[in-house]
Amino acid sequence: MSTYVFGHTNPDSDSIVGAISLSYLKNQLGEDTIPTRQGKISPETEFILNKFGGTLPELKTSVAGKNVYIIDFSDKAQAPEDIEQATILGIVDHHKLGDLTTSTPLECWIRPNGCSNTIVKEMYDSYDVKIPKDIAGMMLCAILSDTVIFKSPTCTKVDTKACKELAKIAGIEDYKALGMEMCIVKSAVQGASPRELNTRDYKEFLMGREKVGVGQLEVVDLSVFDDMKDSLFADLKIMKEENGLHTIMLLLTDIMKEGSQVLLLSDDASKFEMAFDSKLEDNQVWLAGVLSRKKQIIPFLQPQF
Ligand code: MG
Ligand code: MG
Ligand code: MG
């Protein structure tokens, strides 16, 4: 029976590439694993797979009775619904520790780096396993994506060093240009439905007894959303009701201006305003310098609940 290796729901590039890179490593170490995914991939991830000839991991949303490695999350809310009936052999992650627990001992690689694939790189090094060229290229892209080309406050020296080494293996000289190319792919939001955009990089968190949903779209120029905000808000309102959320927000992140325009709907918006010492106007506010959901949004909002 193969062990499944997968990342979080609404998978981003780190989750998809992490499933591929971690599964390959485990197989080199003599295990029988397959990379899987919990949902549809983003245009950015599609770009990465196409560029390096990566294979799209199989879609698996049920894991009962399976052995699994999880990567890029440890929150139940981001896992398959039947995760408690699976055996978690290991966790590789760079987020706050979530609420998943296990009944057997497990392998844990959890570090405050900018990307899970940086940790996978350290695993390859520690087991002395060679990273294939195509996988190195994909891992490089995952790190560039998660760290917003090193601009995110989550980025560490370990991430930049990993990128340098991966770029060398992949034979890519100008990897910042590659990061920019990915950002432009990500910024092509025209033609996508409001639901597609609101859920492209969307996560739910349990804060106190309330559920809070936070989506994020990173683009090179926020003006692409000028004509879309009404329809994004209308759909956020439906998502808030459908999912029984106390608060839902979408971060429209401008990676050039380095900040985020927040669109927010809440049963009590004062919690957000207190957390960020800011006033919403028409349910919106600009947060200068905010690029990271995990480091600059969640830790400030959570204590308000
Ligand atoms: Mg992720
Ligand atoms: Mg990640
Ligand atoms: Mg991200």
Side-chain angles (χ1 to χ4, degrees), residues 199-235:
T199 57
R200 190 173 277 178
D201 179 6
Y202 172 80
K203 288 179 180 171
E204 285 183 0
F205 301 87
L206 200 59
M207 298 197 181
R209 287 191 189 144
E210 307 290 356
K211 274 205 300 186
V212 176
V214 187
Q216 184 173 28
L217 293 166
E218 292 154 345
V219 297
V220 284
D221 181 3
L222 280 192
S223 68
V224 294
F225 297 115
D226 282 353
D227 302 327
M228 281 187 206
K229 281 189 191 158
D230 288 346
S231 56
L232 290 172
F233 263 122
D235 186 60

Side-chain angles (χ1 to χ4, degrees), residues 8 12 14-15 72 94-95 146 203:
H8 53 75
D12 56 4
D14 191 24
S15 275
D72 202 32
H94 67 126
H95 294 85
D146 259 18
K203 288 179 180 171

Side-chain angles (χ1 to χ4, degrees), residues 7-16 71-73 78 93-95 116 146 201 203 293-294:
H8 53 75
T9 46
N10 295 313
D12 56 4
S13 297
D14 191 24
S15 275
I16 297 294
I71 181 158
D72 202 32
F73 76 102
Q78 294 163 24
D93 192 23
H94 67 126
H95 294 85
S116 302
D146 259 18
D201 179 6
K203 288 179 180 171
R293 171 175 47 201
K294 82 165 77 54

Side-chain angles (χ1 to χ4, degrees), residues 95-227:
H95 294 85
K96 75 175 175 68
L97 188 59
D99 52 0
L100 278 171
T101 186
T102 65
S103 47
T104 47
L106 78 165
E107 176 181 3
C108 267
W109 294 73
I110 301 175
R111 317 238 161 129
N113 291 341
C115 182
S116 302
N117 273 281
T118 300
I119 305 169
V120 178
K121 165 76 170 64
E122 292 188 292
M123 293 173 76
Y124 273 87
D125 292 346
S126 118
Y127 288 112
D128 204 15
V129 171
K130 236 179 118 193
I131 308 175
K133 197 174 172 185
D134 56 333
I135 293 182
M138 292 190 277
M139 290 169 74
L140 168 67
C141 285
I143 302 172
L144 290 168
S145 170
D146 259 18
T147 63
V148 195
I149 324 179
F150 311 145
K151 289 183 186 191
S152 171
T154 59
C155 186
T156 66
K157 276 184 190 152
V158 190
D159 298 295
T160 47
K161 183 171 167 269
C163 272
K164 245 181 230 160
E165 293 171 12
L166 290 166
K168 209 168 167 194
I169 299 167
I172 292 164
E173 255 169 53
D174 191 351
Y175 51 90
K176 284 193 180 171
L178 173 61
M180 213 44 216
E181 206 183 328
M182 283 197 303
C183 283
I184 289 162
V185 171
K186 254 203 283 211
S187 301
V189 295
Q190 251 79 27
S193 72
R195 180 58 58 99
E196 205 182 317
L197 294 175
N198 284 336
T199 57
R200 190 173 277 178
D201 179 6
Y202 172 80
K203 288 179 180 171
E204 285 183 0
F205 301 87
L206 200 59
M207 298 197 181
R209 287 191 189 144
E210 307 290 356
K211 274 205 300 186
V212 176
V214 187
Q216 184 173 28
L217 293 166
E218 292 154 345
V219 297
V220 284
D221 181 3
L222 280 192
S223 68
V224 294
F225 297 115
D226 282 353
D227 302 327

